[in-house]
Amino acid sequence: MTAASAFAGMRSVSPVVFRAGCPDCRGRFELAASALRLAIGATRRTTFYSFTCPQCGAAVRKPAGERIVELLTGGGVRTLRLHSTV
């Protein structure tokens, strides 16, 4: 089987983009999954996503509830699982 025949009939998939906003400059924009990072901790307080604002360069960190975690992981955002030391 050739690569061409293995992938015959498959459709191309559009890259996932996420809408985001910067609290510093109030900019609104779309980011590719590769521009975001997700950290999953033991509590709500330690579960967040982060990115660098493409307009002002600020480091942005926002809380991520269960639904946001589902959307980001499903969209291919790189995830870091934080472990407690207790």
Side-chain angles (χ1 to χ4, degrees):
M1 175 181 287
T2 67
S5 64
F7 293 104
M10 292 183 73
R11 298 182 303 196
S12 64
V13 177
S14 304
V16 176
V17 293
F18 297 93
R19 290 189 205 146
C22 176
D24 288 355
C25 72
R26 304 261 188 235
R28 312 276 295 143
F29 37 82
E30 292 184 341
L31 296 170
S34 61
L36 295 155
R37 297 293 175 267
L38 174 63
I40 300 176
T43 67
R44 286 178 149 180
R45 197 169 159 207
T46 58
T47 301
F48 61 91
Y49 65 99
S50 62
F51 58 91
T52 300
C53 176
Q55 293 180 3
C56 72
V60 179
R61 178 176 161 165
K62 295 188 174 186
E66 288 182 35
R67 181 70 179 137
I68 298 296
V69 169
E70 285 178 30
L71 291 170
L72 294 177
T73 55
V77 172
R78 287 199 299 191
T79 303
L80 172 66
R81 296 198 182 272
L82 305 174
H83 298 282
S84 88
T85 58
V86 178

